[in-house]
């Protein structure tokens, strides 16, 4: 893979790291700034209010998927990628400078709410924009490898956020973190977004997109064009279902589960999560490259079979893992299984659609599935725990994977689809169906 392709991978995925850093630090630093925006007196209520604003971002992700997916198809992948990082930078700046309750009353809450709306729009569009760009910009035989860097960058953003929190907790007093320290990660996020904005301003549009410019503009990136590919859109939602539930279970929920259910020290639980996520991040390109050799379906099927039959025993044993090494081994096993989905799901979804509807076709169905299943995974887990039937959540995760398994077994292989040929077909006939490719 040449230098130019590495540059495209870097520019296409760097924004993902910044996006997920900003998304992650809001949730992790909320405990420090919750009291700053609401009247003092009830810390729990203030934290709940702050996390309620956090939840608004999930509702905005489908809107961002539609809006930025449309822009990506009508104005180009570069335009969508530049806009997503601009929105994220603006949201980070707003949070960093938001006035406290003591200064502006509930005016600070209004600023926080606007920032979260912008974050939701941005993250909702970033996934599809970067997935489409990485898939189209890579060599035909390296699409799985190139697109795997989407989850490399997403995980890196979480790890950088977690690392910054650990450093700040060790170097600043608790009072300083509550007073002004919580603003630092958002300043860092805004600066990072500014750097990515500069890089993306000079990035090249994909050849696949440029070759499809003859497509009729009135159909490009519209819901009308997407309706012509509703079967593929439903397929995206179904194949996302199991993967996103498993991913959120073993990433964002894992630390809480180890500390609250397994009785592990919070510091140890955080270390388990950090180490497992680091190895998980390193595995993505290896699995992506493997899919370029053997196809996408074998990896997806391996994930679904593993998640369907191993989730219950893994989660049950994690609930009794009281020390670092058993918990780390089980968490890593779970994430190795999930790698079958995360490493290639971006390119699989992009390969399902023709060029004139690819960005929107990936963005909107994915954002809807992510909001319905990924965004609610932690809530469902806590609901089962509160009901005294925590093991019910294990079966829920396994059940979602089983649904996706049926989809993986019946879908066509997408590895060998010629995106240039699909681009030409979409130029000749707007919303032309993607030709079937026999399964390997």
């Amino acid at each position: 893979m040449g230098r130019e392709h590495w540059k495209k991978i870097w520019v296409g995925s760097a924004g993902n790291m910044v996006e997920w850093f900003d998304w992650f630090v809001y949730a992790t630093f909320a405990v420090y700034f919750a009291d700053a925006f609401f009247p003092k007196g009830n810390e729990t209520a203030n934290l709940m209010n702050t996390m309620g604003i956090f939840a608004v971002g999930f509702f905005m992700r489908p809107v961002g998927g539609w809006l930025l997916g449309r822009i990506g198809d009508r104005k180009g992948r570069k335009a969508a990628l530049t806009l997503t990082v601009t929105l994220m930078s603006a949201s980070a700046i707003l949070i960093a400078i938001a006035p406290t309750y003591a200064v502006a009353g509930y005016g600070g809450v209004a600023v926080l709410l606007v920032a979260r709306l912008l974050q939701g729009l941005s993250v909702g569009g970033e996934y599809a924009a970067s997935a489409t760009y990485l898939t189209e910009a890579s060599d035909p035989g390296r699409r799985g490898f190139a697109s795997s860097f989407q989850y490399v960058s997403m995980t890196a953003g979480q790890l950088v956020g977690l690392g910054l929190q650990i450093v700040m907790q060790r170097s600043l007093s608790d009072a300083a973190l509550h007073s002004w320290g919580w603003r630092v990660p958002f300043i860092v996020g805004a600066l990072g977004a500014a750097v990515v904005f500069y890089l993306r301003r000079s990035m090249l549009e994909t050849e696949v997109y440029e070759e499809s410019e003859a497509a009729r503009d009135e159909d490009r990136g519209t819901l009308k064009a997407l309706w012509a590919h509703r079967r593929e859109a439903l397929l995206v939602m179904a194949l996302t279902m199991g993967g996103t539930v498993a991913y959120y279970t073993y990433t964002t929920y894992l630390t809480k589960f180890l500390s609250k259910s397994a009785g592990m020290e919070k510091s140890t639980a955080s270390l388990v999560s950090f180490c497992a996520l680091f190895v998980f991040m390193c595995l993505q390109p290896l699995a992506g490259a493997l899919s370029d050799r053997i196809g996408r379906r074998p990896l997806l099927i391996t994930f679904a079979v593993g998640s369907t039959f191993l989730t219950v025993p893994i989660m049950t044993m994690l609930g009794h893992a009281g020390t670092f090494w058993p918990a780390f081994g089980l968490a890593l096993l779970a994430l190795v299984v999930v790698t079958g989905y995360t490493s290639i799901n971006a390119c699989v979804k992009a390969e399902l659609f023709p060029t004139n509807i690819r960005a929107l076709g990936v963005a909107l169905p994915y954002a809807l599935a992510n909001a319905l299943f990924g965004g609610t995974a932690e809530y469902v887990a806590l609901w089962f725990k509160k009901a005294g039937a925590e093991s019910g959540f294990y079966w829920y995760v396994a059940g979602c994977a089983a649904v996706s398994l049926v989809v993986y077994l019946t879908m066509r292989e997408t590895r060998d689809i010629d995106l240039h040929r699909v681009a030409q077909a979409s130029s000749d006939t707007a919303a032309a169906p993607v030709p079937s490719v026999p399964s390997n």
Side-chain angles (χ1 to χ4, degrees), residues 184-437:
V184 172
F186 297 104
I187 296 173
V188 172
L191 292 174
V195 173
V196 174
F197 175 81
Y198 173 77
L199 292 173
R200 286 184 170 179
R201 288 268 294 177
S202 60
M203 71 191 298
L204 299 175
E205 187 57 79
T206 67
E207 293 179 6
V208 172
Y209 181 81
E210 289 181 334
E211 289 176 3
S212 70
E213 288 293 355
R216 290 180 293 175
D217 290 340
E218 63 270 17
D219 288 336
R220 182 186 295 273
T222 63
L223 291 176
K224 175 184 176 182
L226 181 60
W227 181 251
H229 296 277
R230 55 192 177 275
R231 183 167 178 261
E232 287 80 3
L234 290 173
L235 184 59
V236 168
M237 293 188 68
L239 67 86
T240 299
M241 179 182 177
T244 191
V245 170
Y247 175 76
Y248 276 94
T249 297
Y250 296 119
T251 55
T252 59
Y253 181 60
L254 179 65
T255 303
K256 299 181 183 68
F257 177 79
L258 290 175
S259 62
K260 295 182 180 297
S261 297
M264 190 175 291
E265 291 288 334
K266 289 183 179 179
S267 58
T268 305
S270 295
L271 185 61
V272 168
S273 183
F274 185 93
C275 294
L277 280 173
F278 180 80
V279 179
F280 170 74
M281 177 181 69
C282 296
L283 290 175
Q284 302 308 298
L286 299 177
L290 179 62
S291 79
D292 288 325
R293 295 181 64 86
I294 67 174
R296 321 296 188 214
R297 290 179 68 248
L299 268 72
L300 291 172
I301 291 171
T302 299
F303 150 70
V305 170
S307 192
T308 299
F309 294 102
L310 294 179
T311 293
V312 175
I314 287 176
M315 292 295 289
T316 301
M317 287 188 286
L318 274 173
H320 296 89
T323 57
F324 173 83
W325 287 110
F328 171 72
L330 290 166
L332 184 58
L333 173 61
L335 287 172
V336 168
V337 171
V338 175
T339 295
Y341 166 81
T342 56
S343 60
I344 59 170
N345 79 95
C347 67
V348 169
K349 294 164 188 173
E351 289 165 343
L352 289 172
F353 297 93
T355 309
N356 72 314
I357 195 62
R358 184 168 292 128
L360 181 60
V362 174
L364 186 56
Y366 168 78
L368 287 170
N370 197 261
L372 289 172
F373 301 105
T376 60
E378 189 168 334
Y379 177 86
V380 173
L382 294 175
W383 183 87
F384 275 110
K385 183 177 178 63
K386 185 178 179 180
E390 189 168 26
S391 61
F393 176 67
Y394 314 162
W395 289 100
Y396 169 76
V397 177
C400 289
V403 173
S404 289
L405 174 60
V406 174
V407 176
Y408 303 152
L409 289 172
T410 56
M411 69 181 288
R412 67 179 183 272
E413 177 58 65
T414 62
R415 179 191 61 178
D416 299 318
I417 286 178
D418 185 346
L419 296 184
H420 287 270
R421 181 165 57 86
V422 173
Q424 184 60 45
S426 64
S427 296
D428 297 336
T429 307
V434 179
S436 289
V437 175

Side-chain angles (χ1 to χ4, degrees), residues 96-117:
I97 65 173
T100 63
Y101 181 83
V103 173
Y106 285 108
V109 175
V111 174
L112 204 61
L113 180 60
V114 170
R116 282 300 297 168
L117 292 174

Side-chain angles (χ1 to χ4, degrees), residues 68-89:
L68 292 162
R70 176 182 173 86
I71 291 173
D73 285 325
R74 297 185 71 85
K75 303 296 183 182
R77 316 314 188 201
K78 176 182 175 180
L81 285 168
T82 304
L83 182 55
T84 59
V85 76
T86 301
L87 291 173
M88 186 56 79
S89 179

